[in-house]
């Protein structure tokens, strides 16, 4: 039985949130580096070795830039919206188990900030909230492009949240728990990874991830050729940066969730007794793969059309996810379990 | 009017995913290819004698500039970038500029001054970079414009080559 | 500490509710309702109903209110400049007065019922055991209470049909 020392809690919070935010910062660099490498370019390489300090330079630039609030904008909502977009994305990281349990002396420390029984629900509830930042930001800007971006984002996220929840539900039904730690601990061996029992859910979840975070090829909320910058057209300086931070945090959290639900979280293939730091490394690798996938897809595929997106969501993904859930339920009820 | 026949998609194409993976594999392969970026300030673009950069004044081997302040370049300049105040000198050529300024912000690098000069005193160098904090600083005076003849020799030879039909002697 | 939080949240929930009624723009109403929902979720958490709190946020704040916002923005009612003309005219009609009286009576009866019933209250020391177990909730919902559950679904369906009928009649009238 561990003692919840305030110090341990504090260290965990600082390390995990610091990791999340620095991952988000590094993602903004990785985005440009990956796009450069795919186009025979080098990418940012001026600030620090290999351009590694570029996010820092960007941050300084964002802080010193002038903040513009358009005339006719709802000032209160305009200021609040970016925070509404970033905060839920960061909050959700709290329930993700990034590793097993560390035993230090007499303390055993589970490697997640909050080990709640309704982890999956908590995560879904709060990741669903980040859409408010997008909608309200688009609405409060008093600009037609922003409004259209916000509208598109809301329609898109409502549509795809259903698929997201249904695919997660299939895994939850299989595992019989909403606790993310238990789910990841149940997949200690490679053979137990949920990707083998739920391949369809894995594919659907991975694709829905892109739609939920408004990333390519589903980034209709910002869609440059049509909407200038979409919901953040009117934003500048640090508030604009906050939207980006929120987007990258949401990507990171969903990548971690994908790794936890389908790839066994911190489990190392063929080495179930791996020490905890190897587990964390494995977890980071798995989540990192999905993060790379985000960038990889963004710089490879063209944007879809909005009606195609809606058709895909409602007519293809939703029935598939429902059927998957039905079959999973059937197996659980009448199968060999 | 042209009626475009849409190609019938095969099942694999309509499933999206195989085609998506094909696209992804292409970009992934490009990932490992050599970048073609040129790191500009460290690796400047190669220039040769054909490069028509900023005009510079030739300093002859004896240390004097070749210019006799005849004002031909001043007249030829379409952008009115050149300003010359003539003066006398004890040297055999009798005249030299007291002031020779080129406003680099007006200069359009057309090379007319080079063509107009009867004394081979002004040539287009291979210098292309132009930056300063003030406009005043970009009005180059004689000291900034002087270049030893050896530095401009490739360009001088090139100009003689292309103008061989008209020029007979080398100064 | 938790008692203080409870009262703070209760005040926020009530203020949000009042904001829904008195806000002059539909957007303000929606946002007030959102604040109210959040306060309610925190109250659920304080009472130990984690599942309820998460579902409250997931369903109401995360899905239904987004739809509300979407509809408001789509119908272009959204500008803070838009104001509804509040008029007391409907309240002067006898039919409306009766309806208002009935609604108030039902509300009052509900309040009295809640007051008298022996529901678990926060003041009486936390939630009963195992109320948070999803299995228990599911078994209760689809077992013992499956009939009321289905009845609620039917009620919702009825509401939906009624709204459709009402909306349709109105457009036909305005069309003529």
């Amino acid at each position: 039985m561990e003692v919840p020392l305030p110090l341990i809690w504090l260290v965990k919070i600082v390390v995990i949130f610091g990791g999340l935010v620095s991952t988000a910062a590094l993602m903004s660099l990785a985005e440009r580096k990956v796009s450069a490498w795919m186009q025979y370019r080098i990418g940012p390489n001026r600030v620090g070795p290999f351009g590694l300090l570029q996010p820092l330079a960007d941050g300084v630039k964002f802080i010193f830039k002038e903040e513009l609030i358009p005339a006719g904008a709802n000032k209160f909502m305009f200021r609040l919206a970016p925070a509404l977009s970033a905060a839920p994305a960061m909050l959700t990281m709290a329930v993700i188990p990034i590793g097993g349990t560390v035993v230090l002396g007499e303390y055993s420390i589970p490697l997640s900030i909050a080990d709640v029984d309704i982890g999956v629900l908590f995560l879904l509830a709060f990741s669903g909230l980040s859409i408010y930042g997008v909608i309200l930001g688009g609405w409060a800007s008093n600009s037609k492009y922003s409004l259209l971006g916000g509208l598109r984002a809301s329609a898109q996220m409502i549509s795809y949240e259903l698929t997201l929840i249904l695919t997660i539900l299939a895994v939850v039904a299989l595992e019989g728990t909403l606790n993310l730690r238990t789910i990841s601990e149940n997949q200690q061996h490679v053979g137990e990874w949920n990707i083998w029992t739920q391949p369809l859910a894995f594919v659907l979840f991975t694709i829905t991830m892109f739609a939920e975070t408004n990333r390519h090829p589903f980034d209709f909320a910002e869609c440059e050729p049509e909407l200038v910058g979409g919901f953040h057209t009117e934003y500048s300086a640090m508030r604009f940066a906050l939207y980006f931070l929120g987007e990258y945090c949401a990507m990171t959290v969903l990548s971690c969730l994908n790794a936890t639900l389908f790839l066994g979280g911190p489990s190392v293939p063929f080495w179930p007794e791996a020490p905890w730091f190897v587990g964390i490394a494995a977890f980071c690798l798995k989540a990192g793969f999905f993060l790379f996938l985000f960038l990889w897809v963004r710089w490879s595929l063209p944007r879809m059309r909005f009606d195609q997106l809606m058709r895909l969501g409602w007519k293809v993904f939703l029935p598939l996810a429902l059927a998957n859930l039905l079959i999973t339920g059937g197996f659980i009820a009448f199968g060999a379990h | 009017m042209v009626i475009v026949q849409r190609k019938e998609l095969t099942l694999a194409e309509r499933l999206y995913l195989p085609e998506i993976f094909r696209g992804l594999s292409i970009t992934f392969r490009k990932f490992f290819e050599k970048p073609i970026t040129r790191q500009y300030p460290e690796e400047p673009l190669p220039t040769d004698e054909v490069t028509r950069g900023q005009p510079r004044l030739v300093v002859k081997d004896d240390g004097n500039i070749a210019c006799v302040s005849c004002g031909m370049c001043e007249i030829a300049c379409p952008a009115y970038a050149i300003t010359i105040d003539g003066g006398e000198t004890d040297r055999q050529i009798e005249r030299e500029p007291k002031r020779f300024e080129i406003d680099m912000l007006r200069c359009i690098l057309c090379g007319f001054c080079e063509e107009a000069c009867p004394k081979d005193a002004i040539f287009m160098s291979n210098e292309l970079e132009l930056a300063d904090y003030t406009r005043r600083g970009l009005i180059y005076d004689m000291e900034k414009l002087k270049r030893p003849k050896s530095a401009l020799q490739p360009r001088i030879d090139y100009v003689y080559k292309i103008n061989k039909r008209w020029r007979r002697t080398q100064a | 500490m938790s008692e203080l939080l409870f009262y703070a949240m209760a005040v926020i929930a009530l203020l949000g509710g009042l904001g829904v009624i008195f806000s002059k723009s539909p957007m303000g109403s929606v946002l007030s309702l959102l604040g109210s929902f959040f306060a309610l979720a925190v109250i659920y958490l304080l009472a130990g109903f984690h599942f309820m709190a998460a579902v409250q946020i997931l369903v109401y704040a995360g899905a239904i209110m987004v739809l509300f916002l979407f509809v408001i923005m789509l119908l272009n009612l959204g500008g803070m400049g838009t104001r509804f003309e509040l008029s007391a005219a409907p309240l002067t009609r006898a039919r409306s007065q009766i309806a208002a009286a009935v609604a108030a009576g039902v509300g009052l009866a509900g309040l009295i019922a809640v007051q008298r019933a022996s529901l678990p209250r926060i003041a009486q020391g936390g939630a009963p055991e195992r109320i948070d177990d999803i299995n228990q909730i599911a078994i209760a919902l689809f077992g013992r209470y499956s009939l009321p559950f289905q009845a609620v679904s039917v009620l919702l369906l009825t509401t939906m049909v009624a709204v459709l009928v009402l909306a349709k009649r109105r457009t036909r009238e305005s069309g003529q």
Side-chain angles (χ1 to χ4, degrees), chain C residues 10 19 24 40 54 57 116-117 137:
Chain C
K24 290 245 168 81
L40 272 184
I57 291 179
R116 298 188 69 119
I137 292 174

Side-chain angles (χ1 to χ4, degrees), chain A residues 37-97:
Chain A
W37 288 333
M38 282 181 179
Q39 299 163 358
Y40 306 134
R41 294 186 289 110
I42 294 175
N45 62 348
R46 295 281 146 172
V47 193
F50 306 107
L52 277 176
L53 298 179
Q54 185 70 41
L56 227 73
D58 288 342
V60 170
K61 189 192 85 172
F62 276 129
I63 288 169
F64 284 110
K65 274 195 131 177
E66 186 183 357
E67 172 95 49
L68 288 174
I69 296 183
N74 183 328
K75 290 209 174 51
F76 175 70
M77 286 328 299
F78 189 83
R79 293 206 179 99
L80 184 68
L84 278 184
S85 164
M90 292 186 201
L91 257 182
T92 44
M93 194 66 197
V95 291
I96 299 224

Side-chain angles (χ1 to χ4, degrees), chain A residues 203-226:
Chain A
V203 171
L204 290 180
F205 184 90
T206 308
I207 298 174
T208 311
M209 234 165 46
F210 288 83
E212 270 303 286
T213 47
N214 285 320
R215 290 285 300 183
H216 264 265
F218 306 121
D219 64 336
F220 296 96
E222 25 200 310
C223 190
E224 292 88 355
E226 295 162 25

Side-chain angles (χ1 to χ4, degrees), chain B residues 120-171:
Chain B
D120 287 349
I122 189 164
F123 278 97
M124 308 306 278
S125 65
N126 58 4
E127 294 164 39
L128 289 159
E129 285 158 11
L130 188 68
D132 205 325
Y133 288 104
T134 60
R135 285 172 176 273
R136 180 66 230 171
L138 289 169
I139 299 174
Y140 281 14
D141 59 12
M142 230 177 340
E143 285 315 305
K144 277 189 181 164
L145 288 170
K146 276 179 183 172
R147 289 290 179 277
K149 194 179 179 189
S150 56
L152 294 167
Q153 198 59 50
R155 177 73 186 177
I156 295 171
D157 293 342
Y158 173 74
V159 170
Y160 270 94
K161 197 179 90 197
I162 60 169
N163 293 337
K164 213 158 40 189
R165 283 166 62 192
W166 298 289
R167 298 218 194 204
R168 264 164 287 141
T169 54
Q170 186 164 355

Side-chain angles (χ1 to χ4, degrees), chain A residues 119-139:
Chain A
V120 176
L121 273 181
F122 176 89
L123 201 143
L124 285 174
F126 277 92
S127 71
L129 288 183
S130 60
I131 187 192
Y132 278 105
V134 174
I135 301 185
L136 290 177
W139 173 79

Side-chain angles (χ1 to χ4, degrees), chain A residues 228-242:
Chain A
V228 192
F231 63 93
H232 58 57
T233 305
E234 306 291 345
Y235 278 91
S236 53
M238 211 53 207
R239 280 179 223 286
F240 175 75
L242 214 52

Side-chain angles (χ1 to χ4, degrees), chain A residues 40-42 45-46 296 300, chain B residues 24 27 33 36 39 42:
Chain A
Y40 306 134
R41 294 186 289 110
I42 294 175
N45 62 348
R46 295 281 146 172
W296 189 6
S300 302
Chain B
L24 288 178
T27 43
E33 287 183 28
I36 55 167
Q39 295 286 308
E42 289 88 30

Side-chain angles (χ1 to χ4, degrees), chain C residues 28-44:
Chain C
S29 296
V30 168
L31 295 176
S32 309
L33 195 53
L34 195 62
S36 182
F37 281 159
F38 269 101
L40 272 184
V42 176
I43 290 177
Y44 288 152

